[in-house]
Amino acid sequence: MPPNYDELRKAVNRTSNWRVRLDAIEELGQWKHKRTIDVLLHRMNNDAVYKVVEAAHRNLIKFGEDVQLPPRNKFELIKDANKVFFRIKKSLPAGHTYEEYKEKLKNMRLDLYDTYEGDKGDEFDAWLENVWATASKK
């Protein structure tokens, strides 16, 4: 059992930082114990960022657990995210820039921003700019 188990358990539940969750998953993956396996199983089955899901799965396999990698979510990663994207755009003055939209989204809904940024990776900015550009057409 890792000496900092309680800290790691808290870290894997940080909804606004997928990188912290991923690091905690990797550290927990160094310690085969029922409690660490339980945490990894929960993250594998419940995390919105697929990189975290894959890391939990990989560590569980390493421990000899008989687990299947869940399918990647192809739709909204967070319930009603599209409504939030639209509301944030609508709350900004006419003629605002993409950068202003991006900053407001990050400030108001870091959990949402972080989840999609983690899921989209290098394509995040292009994806978010498209969400911004098409939000008024919905």
Side-chain angles (χ1 to χ4, degrees), residues 9-10 38 40 51 57 112:
R9 190 174 46 81
K10 288 177 188 172
D38 288 345
L40 293 173
K51 291 173 190 171
H57 177 261
L112 195 137

Side-chain angles (χ1 to χ4, degrees), residues 46-120:
N46 296 293
D47 208 281
V49 176
Y50 207 65
K51 291 173 190 171
V52 176
V53 170
E54 290 173 320
H57 177 261
R58 184 178 61 255
N59 282 303
L60 288 163
I61 293 294
K62 181 177 77 176
F63 290 158
E65 296 295 309
D66 183 21
V67 293
Q68 298 298 314
L69 184 62
R72 185 180 196 118
N73 188 344
K74 295 178 185 170
F75 304 104
E76 285 185 320
L77 301 177
I78 296 177
K79 186 177 180 346
D80 294 330
N82 290 330
K83 291 178 184 177
V84 174
F85 294 137
F86 178 71
R87 276 191 229 122
I88 289 176
K89 181 170 183 172
K90 201 167 110 174
S91 73
L92 289 164
H96 69 273
T97 66
Y98 163 68
E99 289 302 323
E100 291 169 321
Y101 172 79
K102 182 179 174 181
E103 191 61 31
K104 186 162 186 179
L105 173 64
K106 191 174 186 179
N107 289 335
M108 290 185 69
R109 288 296 305 268
L110 183 57
D111 62 324
L112 195 137
Y113 181 94
D114 183 76
T115 297
Y116 280 91
E117 189 264 339
D119 185 69
K120 302 297 180 190

Side-chain angles (χ1 to χ4, degrees), residues 8-22:
L8 293 171
R9 190 174 46 81
K10 288 177 188 172
V12 298
N13 292 313
R14 295 265 323 266
T15 58
S16 64
N17 197 326
W18 69 270
R19 288 175 183 86
V20 168
R21 292 195 313 273
L22 183 62

